[in-house]
Amino acid sequence: MAAPLDLDQLATFIAIADTGSFTKAAEEVHRTQSAVSMQMRRLEERVGKALFQKDGRTNRLTEDGERLLTYARRMLRLNRETLAAFDDASLEGHIRIGTPDDYADRFLPEIMARFARSNPRVELSVACEPTTNLVDHIRRGNLDLALVTYDASKGGSEPIRREPLLWVSSANHSVHEREVLPMAFGRPSCLWRRTACAALEEEGRSYRVLFTSFSATVIATAVLSGLAISVLPECALRPGMRVLGEADGFNPLPDCHIGLMRGHTGQAEIIDALARHISESLDNLSVPAFLEEGGFDFNAAFLNPRSKRHRPGQTMSGW
């Protein structure tokens, strides 16, 4: 039977991957640089593959290193969850988190499942509201954490994930070819709406806002029914949607960012634990996969956090 992998070595390996430096990783794991180098030599010997390649002063992962990183994160996460399940002094209490429903469908299942396994004594309350409302709730002390659309001009949150912002239409309709584009957006305060309107006006495209709602379901319904087009982050795409690109007359939009906002409600230990789970979950979670030539690979789409991005003109298959 093969000897198991060393969790300390994997923790150091993850630190190097995250920082891009043996020196910075050594500070993270509280070891000397020579000790870190020795750990990585032993890890490479154990798996029989080269895990790093030099790129100037940065240590980049090889293809085999990228593969191992996915497994290493899962192993360390499972280790933490196992220890927490048998810890009589584990966290206990009640925490309130908010998120727009654009993100809820895609991210909440992973976040809630992981956090509940690691912290079975913590009660989690979830509110689904637009970012503007969530920011207000945080400031009023009604929420402990909020997953929001990050707006650098307003501050107050830290970006934890970047997403392409995409023009979307129905795969079964040609509403995007109309002379006056019917649009479905969030409320006027929505950052994506402002970005899209600015882009359309800059390009001299005629449009009319036909539907306005803070509900992602309403916006998606308008798009899928062929009544309007909209803009969505990649994580919010749904089966039956088509991504519009330059060939359709729609120029690329700036990426959007998902941010994490913390309240000032005490319970620092529980809040830090949930914030860590959210960051790790979003870092490891893949984007929705697209129907490609050769078929839809469910496992590759959901187990590989670095699955390739969309191509304009592709349509969403089910997930």
Side-chain angles (χ1 to χ4, degrees):
M1 180 178 177
L5 292 170
D6 186 297
L7 293 180
D8 285 337
Q9 292 176 1
L10 294 179
T12 301
F13 171 67
I14 292 171
I16 296 170
D18 288 344
T19 63
S21 164
F22 276 56
T23 302
K24 292 178 181 177
E27 296 173 0
E28 291 267 341
V29 299
H30 307 291
R31 294 179 183 271
T32 64
Q33 187 171 343
S34 60
V36 165
S37 297
M38 177 62 73
Q39 279 189 307
M40 293 306 96
R41 280 197 295 272
R42 290 175 176 170
L43 183 58
E44 288 182 324
E45 291 172 0
R46 179 67 191 82
V47 299
K49 303 287 184 180
L51 302 176
F52 299 97
Q53 57 188 4
K54 291 291 290 184
D55 184 5
R57 296 184 178 182
T58 303
N59 289 282
R60 296 192 179 277
L61 296 181
T62 62
E63 185 175 343
D64 289 314
E66 293 280 1
R67 289 173 57 206
L68 179 61
L69 182 62
T70 300
Y71 290 107
R73 292 193 192 278
R74 289 162 61 187
M75 291 175 69
L76 268 292
R77 182 171 69 243
L78 182 59
N79 181 67
R80 287 195 299 269
E81 292 173 358
T82 301
L83 293 174
F86 292 91
D87 182 7
D88 291 333
S90 60
L91 295 177
E92 187 172 357
H94 175 221
I95 190 168
R96 302 158 300 173
I97 178 176
T99 177
D101 58 354
D102 307 85
Y103 305 145
D105 288 346
R106 189 73 185 100
F107 298 135
L108 271 186
E110 170 75 4
I111 292 169
M112 294 174 67
R114 290 190 57 220
F115 187 74
R117 287 195 298 266
S118 297
N119 303 276
R121 300 183 181 183
V122 176
E123 179 186 350
L124 192 63
S125 295
V126 181
C128 287
E129 296 189 34
T131 287
T132 303
N133 293 14
L134 297 175
V135 171
D136 187 54
H137 283 315
I138 284 283
R139 290 173 177 165
R140 293 174 178 270
N142 298 329
L143 291 173
D144 302 297
L145 277 173
L147 202 60
V148 298
T149 299
Y150 174 76
D151 188 343
S153 66
K154 295 184 178 179
S157 65
E158 55 179 307
I160 57 174
R161 183 180 173 98
R162 184 174 66 182
E163 288 273 334
L165 186 62
L166 306 169
W167 300 101
V168 294
S169 181
S170 165
N172 301 314
H173 302 83
S174 55
V175 64
H176 61 282
E177 297 177 357
R178 294 183 186 175
E179 185 175 350
V180 178
L181 299 172
M183 307 299 301
F185 287 136
R187 294 185 295 186
S189 58
C190 174
L191 179 61
W192 305 337
R193 173 175 175 156
R194 300 200 306 269
T195 300
C197 289
L200 291 172
E201 289 164 7
E202 183 177 347
E203 296 165 17
R205 301 290 300 273
S206 298
Y207 69 93
R208 180 167 65 95
V209 179
L210 195 61
F211 297 97
T212 296
S213 177
F214 66 78
S215 168
T217 300
V218 171
I219 299 300
T221 299
V223 170
L224 292 171
S225 300
L227 299 175
I229 68 173
S230 188
V231 291
L232 293 173
E234 192 169 50
C235 66
L237 298 180
R238 301 193 180 193
M241 288 184 177
R242 177 187 173 194
V243 176
L244 302 172
E246 292 181 82
D248 304 295
F250 293 85
N251 292 328
L253 294 165
D255 287 349
C256 64
H257 292 77
I258 298 172
L260 190 61
M261 180 172 265
R262 296 170 181 254
H264 305 283
T265 56
Q267 303 188 96
E269 193 174 4
I270 300 179
I271 292 175
D272 287 345
L274 179 54
R276 183 175 64 250
H277 274 271
I278 291 173
S279 296
E280 292 177 356
S281 294
L282 267 62
D283 182 57
N284 289 325
L285 198 63
S286 69
V287 300
F290 289 81
L291 184 63
E292 300 184 6
E293 293 180 8
F296 172 67
D297 187 344
F298 182 91
N299 289 327
F302 281 87
L303 297 182
N304 178 12
R306 288 173 171 76
S307 58
K308 59 185 175 182
R309 296 289 191 179
H310 74 286
R311 293 196 304 269
Q314 287 179 309
T315 58
M316 281 295 298
S317 61
W319 69 74

